[in-house]
Amino acid sequence: MWPKPRVLRYRGERRAYDDTRYVIDLVASGTVNTMPEVTLAVVADHGIVRGDTITGNYDDARTVFEQLAATGIDIDDVTTLLEREGLAAFTDSWQALLTDIGHLTRTRR
């Protein structure tokens, strides 16, 4: 699960990340990237998919994880939290969809 693009502060500097970043930078064979319809529309409008951006960069990723650990960030804790929050968000959306469908089927009878 990838967060929505937003403006982040990095060493006091504001950086606006491209609104397609979490789609075009996460392309790999055998993966699925779920996203809101608006994000899909943005990518279709002006995203430039460069192909597989993951495979072949494993050593770089390992280095980043090592750097995170060296600063005291436990990636397992981060992953567990993101997974828990992501699952809750998907569950809430699914329940809302089922409620809406139930309401529609009752009102159309």
Side-chain angles (χ1 to χ4, degrees), residues 2-45:
W2 299 103
K4 290 187 234 173
R6 59 188 183 266
V7 176
L8 301 176
R9 291 203 176 270
Y10 177 74
R11 297 184 182 170
E13 174 185 334
R14 287 176 57 88
R15 291 188 176 183
Y17 287 107
D18 185 287
D19 56 358
T20 63
R21 175 185 179 117
Y22 295 106
V23 178
I24 62 172
D25 288 346
L26 298 170
V27 176
S29 178
T31 63
V32 174
N33 189 342
T34 61
M35 66 194 80
E37 186 176 351
V38 67
T39 303
L40 184 59
V42 166
V43 172
D45 178 62

Side-chain angles (χ1 to χ4, degrees), residues 27-96:
V27 176
S29 178
T31 63
V32 174
N33 189 342
T34 61
M35 66 194 80
E37 186 176 351
V38 67
T39 303
L40 184 59
V42 166
V43 172
D45 178 62
H46 59 268
I48 300 171
V49 178
R50 300 178 309 271
D52 187 336
T53 58
I54 306 286
T55 307
N57 292 308
Y58 299 132
D59 289 337
D60 293 341
R62 283 186 195 92
T63 299
V64 170
F65 286 125
E66 289 167 2
Q67 291 170 340
L68 288 170
T71 63
I73 296 173
D74 184 332
I75 197 63
D76 290 333
D77 288 346
V78 171
T79 303
T80 299
L81 176 63
L82 289 174
E83 183 176 322
R84 189 175 309 131
E85 290 177 354
L87 183 57
F90 278 111
T91 301
D92 292 347
S93 294
W94 179 252
Q95 290 302 321

Side-chain angles (χ1 to χ4, degrees), residues 93-109:
S93 294
W94 179 252
Q95 290 302 321
L97 175 64
L98 292 178
T99 299
D100 289 347
I101 291 170
H103 176 70
L104 286 171
T105 56
R106 284 189 299 279
T107 59
R108 293 182 186 229
R109 287 184 184 173

